[in-house]
Amino acid sequence: MVLSHDDTDDLLQNTFLKAWSNIYAFRGDAKLSTWLYRIAINESINFLNKQRKAQNVPIDGEHDFMMSQLEADGYFDGDSTQKALQEAILTLPEKQRLVFNMKYFDDMKYEEMSEYLGTSVGALKATYHHAVKKIENFLESKEID
């Protein structure tokens, strides 16, 4: 979700620190992995919101800002097709982007995503379907080298 490997490493560290310092709050209602994933999602969303605010990114300029973040990442070595896919993903609303990443890249089952996100399986399927359609439309309209 954050695109930068360095930021991802920082968020992962923050996730484990937050989990460690709040382990007493883990009630065991869900699996530990579900609890950790939820912390990671919240950390990512909070980080993105703070980053947008700190950079004074206007709502309509978010795509350009995120694309510049991707291009500046020294670890990104994708070809034009991979870059176009990432650019298409960046056009999605945050929830669709999250669901698409979880399903497409992490190959996560809808039931598992439902636990993590607190959303019904049917809603997740619809969200993923809409995200795929938007990505397809974006890629069809984009000429790839």
Side-chain angles (χ1 to χ4, degrees), residues 36-50:
L36 289 170
Y37 211 94
R38 188 69 229 170
I39 293 170
I41 290 169
N42 289 338
E43 285 293 307
S44 298
I45 291 170
N46 289 338
F47 173 81
L48 290 171
N49 289 337
K50 286 178 187 175

Side-chain angles (χ1 to χ4, degrees), residues 20 43 58 65 124 135:
W20 178 257
E43 285 293 307
F65 173 72
L124 291 170
I135 289 171

Side-chain angles (χ1 to χ4, degrees), residues 3 6 30 34 36 47 52 60 75 83 98 103 113:
L3 299 178
D6 291 335
T34 301
L36 289 170
F47 173 81
R52 286 181 202 121
D60 60 347
Y75 293 102
K83 185 177 176 184
L98 176 63
K103 184 69 178 159
M113 290 187 329

